């Protein structure tokens, strides 16, 4: 997706969790609001390579500090919307392979994070669940984030299914 020419007009920042203070030993959403790959254009080949390298270096594993990660991501998007005075659309794509295990695990609290981001700054929250994710929770987060339902990656070709989900998100958000 990062290298698809049809996505060149999109700017992307990337954050993994748990990692580097985001849920590793802390539930501080501020740590989760700092992208590991800063915002940049997919039309910039160097930025594409940074995203691909970061993505390829990670594998699912560890705890799931979903509330801290989702709060950090939505806060970052709200701030980005404010800085750009609404001239750009910021969206969150929450990708998870499990149910929340760290920080808040309360379904209502997680839904409220996505709902608040939309009500405060029209930030859409998309939920993409890999095998092992809680489909009911991911659907609830997507609904609260005004994106209707989650995307689910099954036992098939995860690469193709994730690519299809990201392209559909692009079509619906851009």
């Amino acid at each position: 997706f990062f290298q698809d020419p049809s996505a060149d007009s999109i700017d992307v920042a990337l954050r993994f969790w748990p990692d580097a203070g985001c849920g590793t030993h802390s539930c501080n959403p501020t740590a989760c609001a700092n992208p590991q790959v800063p915002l940049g254009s997919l039309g910039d080949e160097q930025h594409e390579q940074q995203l691909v390298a970061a993505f390829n270096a990670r594998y699912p594993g560890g705890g799931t500090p979903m509330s801290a990660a989702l709060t950090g991501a939505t806060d970052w998007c709200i701030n980005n919307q404010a800085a750009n005075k609404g001239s750009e659309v910021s969206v969150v794509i929450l990708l998870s392979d499990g149910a929340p295990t760290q920080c808040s695990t309360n379904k209502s609290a997680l839904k409220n994070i996505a709902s608040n981001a939309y009500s405060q700054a029209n930030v859409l929250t998309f939920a993409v669940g890999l095998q092992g994710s809680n489909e009911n929770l991911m659907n609830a987060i997507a609904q609260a984030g005004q994106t209707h339902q989650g995307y689910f990656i099954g036992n098939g070709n995860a690469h193709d299914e994730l690519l299809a989900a990201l392209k559909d998100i692009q079509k619906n958000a851009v």
Side-chain angles (χ1 to χ4, degrees):
F1 177 79
F2 299 140
Q3 296 170 317
D4 185 340
S6 70
D8 281 355
S9 64
I10 299 173
D11 292 347
V12 173
L14 185 62
R15 177 73 166 124
F16 296 98
W17 45 279
D19 192 63
C22 179
T24 328
H25 303 290
S26 167
C27 290
N28 182 353
T30 303
C32 298
N34 296 315
Q36 290 155 311
V37 178
L39 187 65
S41 172
L42 291 183
D44 174 356
E45 190 173 323
Q46 184 178 12
H47 187 67
E48 286 178 7
Q49 293 307 315
Q50 289 176 318
L51 291 164
V52 169
F55 193 82
N56 286 339
R58 294 299 301 240
Y59 297 94
T64 308
M66 195 176 290
S67 64
L70 186 55
T71 300
T74 56
D75 286 353
W76 187 91
C77 284
I78 290 167
N79 291 333
N80 189 57
Q81 290 281 93
N84 291 304
K85 298 182 174 81
S87 65
E88 296 181 6
V89 174
S90 294
V91 302
V92 171
I93 301 175
L94 177 71
L95 178 67
S96 181
D97 68 339
T101 59
Q102 296 172 254
C103 310
S104 175
T105 60
N106 181 285
K107 179 179 178 179
S108 293
L110 290 162
K111 286 175 22 182
N112 286 340
I113 296 165
S115 178
N116 290 340
Y118 184 78
S119 66
Q120 289 179 32
N122 293 324
V123 171
L124 300 172
T125 301
F126 292 89
V128 179
L130 299 175
Q131 186 173 2
S133 65
N134 179 323
E135 287 190 24
N136 288 333
L137 175 61
M138 297 299 277
N139 276 327
I141 291 169
Q143 289 166 0
Q146 301 301 306
T147 60
H148 309 294
Q149 66 183 30
Y151 295 84
F152 298 98
I153 312 301
N155 287 327
N157 184 331
H159 176 271
D160 289 345
E161 290 177 15
L162 179 57
L163 181 59
L166 292 172
K167 285 183 177 233
D168 195 60
I169 291 168
Q170 175 188 2
K171 180 180 78 177
N172 289 314
V174 178

